């Protein structure tokens, strides 16, 4: 039976060794929702050993891909069966509006179904013949699961980020220890329950809740982990990479961004306004790929700003469970304080605050913030260059294409970028010139499980989703055979 106060290890719900707990808080009401188990290094060790045993001795990596697919499909169905309840838990834990939570949960189920499809095809595609120049030999390249994977995930899309890692890892035949963010641990525990009900063998998926330093760090440092998949901030990603370096662990990192959106002056203003808003206000701007730096061609700069301000002021802010709400609270007090500080910093740096950036007058509880628009943002300012991770858009004018591309690429990040113009040749040209892992043309943010996801530069290493996401959890082995009946004849003539 699932309990938020326990860890899911080796197919069973168990209390943490030191009986530690932490509270998870509803950011709309500031009330405690649940007291959650706080794992420490000893629990992590037990979880990694359970995953190791399931990998080395259990059925999961040895099953046919189609058998693993059947379990993944049952997990997908388990999510769909509880979609509304899970979405409501996600809203209370994270703050996002209910329609967005429903969307995330549907995508999470879809992710398990997609990787079930790849698992079904896995056995036929696992071995590829390798052409050799010597006819006495034959060779195949064979894909095999990488082993025990550790996953550490953030709080902005709790269930979806879990699905992006658990589904491909399980499809590949890996076993996993998953550590959700301490700010939003609840749906990961629900996922453990769903997996258990889907007859996932014990030890294949272990879910350990806990703090970054007490549970995340020991997981990333554990020698029993073969692969570490991390999504979160650049400083933590860097720490995880250092820990992985000691044992030469395979790591994939999905980190932060400060993604540009270039709007040329032949764009339809309302379409541009809507995609700019979706690019930065969706999920309260707590989106790694948020297009938070907008470059608008001078010819439409003033008109666009006017319409953007008008539409932004209409966004309905409130508890994500209320009908019609399109902007919930920030996920935590810490995040609220960080974003408020960033707004103050922007003002002191000389950017023009056109709208928002303060607590809405009608909400006296909860971590709510009016969506903010900064115009004429200085190019060397902190807010133009650093990730704010909140509903704050920074805007600057530009004159020509070369300048726009240069400004867009002038960043240590390279996760995503967007370009808008009626001139399709120009969009294609700019898309190729942008140094980012994801480029949207005439839109911003729509994300598909089938397409690769990940960043250039400090935004990460590796790709999730699609077939690329499966490869994250696979090793490649060559098997080379000497097929000639003739002796080798090197020492023995
Ligand atoms: P974070 O780095 O603070 O925490 C992420 C996870 O790491 C949490 O589970 C946390 O407990 C854990 N952690 C913290 N310290 C650790 C340590 N020393 N060792 C191991 N684990 C540790 O990030 P966050 O605040 O939860 O998430 C926000 C960041 O995530 C943003 O920068 C955002 O851009 C990024 N993000 C990226 C993507 C992507 O796909 N590229 C998606 C979502 C979020």
């Amino acid at each position: 039976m699932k309990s938020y106060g326990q860890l899911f290890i080796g197919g069973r719900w168990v209390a943490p060794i030191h009986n530690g707990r932490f509270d998870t808080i509803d950011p709309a009401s500031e009330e405690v929702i649940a007291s959650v188990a706080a794992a420490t290094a000893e629990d992590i060790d037990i979880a990694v050993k359970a995953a190791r045993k399931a990998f080395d001795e259990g059925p999961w990596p040895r099953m046919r891909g189609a058998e693993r697919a059947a379990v993944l499909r049952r997990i997908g169905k388990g999510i769909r069966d509880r979609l509304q309840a899970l979405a409501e838990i996600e809203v209370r834990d994270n703050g996002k509006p209910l329609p967005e939570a429903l969307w995330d949960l549907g995508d999470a189920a879809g992710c398990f179904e997609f990787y079930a499809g790849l698992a079904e095809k896995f056995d036929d595609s696992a071995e590829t013949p390798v052409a050799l120049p010597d006819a006495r030999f034959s060779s195949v390249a064979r894909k095999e699961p990488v082993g025990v994977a550790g996953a550490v995930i953030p709080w902005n899309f709790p269930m979806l980020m879990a699905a992006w890692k658990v589904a491909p890892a399980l499809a590949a035949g890996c076993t996993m220890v998953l550590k959700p963010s301490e700010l939003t641990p609840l749906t990961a525990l629900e996922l453990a329950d769903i997996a258990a009900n889907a007859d996932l063998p014990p030890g294949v998926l272990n879910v350990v809740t806990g703090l970054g330093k007490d549970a995340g760090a020991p997981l990333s440092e554990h020698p029993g982990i073969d692969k570490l998949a991390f999504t979160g901030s650049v400083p933590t990603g860097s720490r995880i990479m250092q820990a992985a370096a000691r044992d030469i662990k395979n790591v994939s990192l999905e980190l932060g961004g400060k993604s540009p959106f270039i709007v040329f002056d032949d764009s339809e203003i309302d379409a541009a306004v809507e995609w700019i808003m979706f690019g930065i206000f969706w999920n309260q701007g707590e989106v790694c790929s948020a297009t938070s730096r907008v470059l608008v061609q001078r010819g439409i700069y003033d008109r666009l700003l006017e319409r953007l301000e008008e539409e932004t002021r209409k966004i309905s802010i409130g508890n994500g469970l209320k009908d019609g709400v399109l902007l919930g609270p920030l996920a935590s007090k810490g995040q609220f304080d960080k974003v408020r500080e960033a707004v103050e910093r922007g003002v002191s740096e000389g950017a023009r605050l056109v709208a928002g950036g303060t607590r809405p007058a009608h909400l006296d509880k909860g971590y709510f913030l009016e969506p903010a628009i900064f115009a004429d943002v200085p190019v060397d300012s902190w807010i133009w260059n650093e990730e704010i991770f909140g509903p704050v858009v920074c805007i600057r004018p530009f004159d020509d294409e070369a300048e726009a591309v240069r400004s867009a690429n002038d960043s240590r990040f390279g996760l995503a970028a967007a370009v808008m113009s009626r001139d399709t040749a120009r969009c294609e040209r700019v898309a190729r010139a942008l140094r980012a892992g994801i480029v949207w043309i005439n839109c911003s943010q729509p994300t598909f499980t089938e397409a690769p996801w990940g960043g250039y530069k400090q935004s990460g290493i590796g790709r999730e989703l699609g077939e690329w996401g499966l490869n994250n959890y696979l090793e490649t082995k060559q098997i080379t055979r000497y097929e000639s009946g003739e002796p080798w004849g090197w020492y023995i003539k």
Side-chain angles (χ1 to χ4, degrees), residues 232-256:
S233 63
V234 173
T236 311
S238 174
R239 252 178 252 130
I240 292 223
M241 216 172 153
Q242 282 171 35
R246 197 196 53 204
D247 297 329
I248 320 293
K249 265 184 209 123
N250 175 330
V251 279
S252 50
L253 305 172
E254 301 287 346
L255 307 176

Side-chain angles (χ1 to χ4, degrees), residues 153 155-156 179 182 212 216 231-233 236 255-256 288 387 389 453:
I153 57 170
W155 44 261
N156 54 347
K179 195 209 82 70
E182 55 272 43
T231 297
S233 63
T236 311
L255 307 176
C288 52
E387 184 178 47
F389 221 57
W453 184 272

